[in-house]
Amino acid sequence: MVTRTETLTTLPELLFRQERTDLAAAFRWAVRLNMHEAVANHFSLAVDSSGKRFLINPSQRHFSLIKASDLLLLDADDPGVLDRPGAPDPTAWGLHGPIHRYCAHARCIMHTHSIYGTVLSSLADSTLPPIDQNSATFYNRYVIDDGFGGLAFEEEGKRCAALLQDPNKKVMIMGNHGILVIGDGVADTFNRLYYFEQAAETYIKALQTGQELRVIPPETAGKTAQELEDYPNQAERHFSDLKKILDLEGDDYAE
């Protein structure tokens, strides 16, 4: 970790090597799981104790091509970010900048237009009921944003940051705009993103049957959510194996 007294100009290109490698692996796996949208969508990761300095994908780069060395290092308090060569995508800065600025607990942020999460965000009622173990994971652990105001420029990002002040709410179902997931690091956040998309898929397909849903009672759903939250090392083991698969295949994500 660096201190706030250090400046971005003193940081060598590949400082935060492990953080870069992990984030690059997340981009590659988002493609494999079809949780990406061409050169849109963005993942970011805080690298200092304040949460304000963060890595993020470069502008208009397909997730399947992003390497560790490609990631931009930005400061959420820097007003001149968009005026410099190699600036991030304006919507990446507009959404992730304010969240890193105002939500220190959001160490990692992943925003996607993944298919089933986006379908859920497009329903008049975007609630995810606890109908299986995966959906119960998110019981009382998400917020629904119903104030979509267009592309995620600065004001949209500030509004979203205000909805994420409760550190227990780690998923935002962005009405008409996909999902946004936060976490303690890349493994934690990617694991949550993966299981939320799984839960959303199950729910949407259950609705398609036209049958009555078997909803888990609140007390059981809450108990299940806490048990899964406390389950030891699941996210870390999941993500470690995802990186191992990439390594065994000779993927260049870590370069």
Side-chain angles (χ1 to χ4, degrees), residues 203-236:
Y203 175 53
I204 297 303
K205 288 183 174 179
L207 290 178
Q208 291 172 341
T209 70
Q211 300 293 310
E212 184 177 357
L213 299 175
R214 185 193 301 274
V215 180
I216 299 171
E219 60 275 14
T220 305
K223 176 176 179 289
T224 303
Q226 190 60 54
E227 288 172 342
L228 288 165
E229 190 170 305
D230 295 339
Y231 201 83
N233 301 318
Q234 198 263 351
E236 290 74 16

Side-chain angles (χ1 to χ4, degrees), residues 54-73:
F54 61 95
L55 298 168
I56 197 165
N57 41 314
S59 181
Q60 306 296 301
R61 185 78 54 83
H62 198 280
F63 278 19
S64 65
L65 299 175
I66 294 174
K67 300 178 182 179
S69 58
D70 294 327
L71 297 172
L72 305 179
L73 181 60

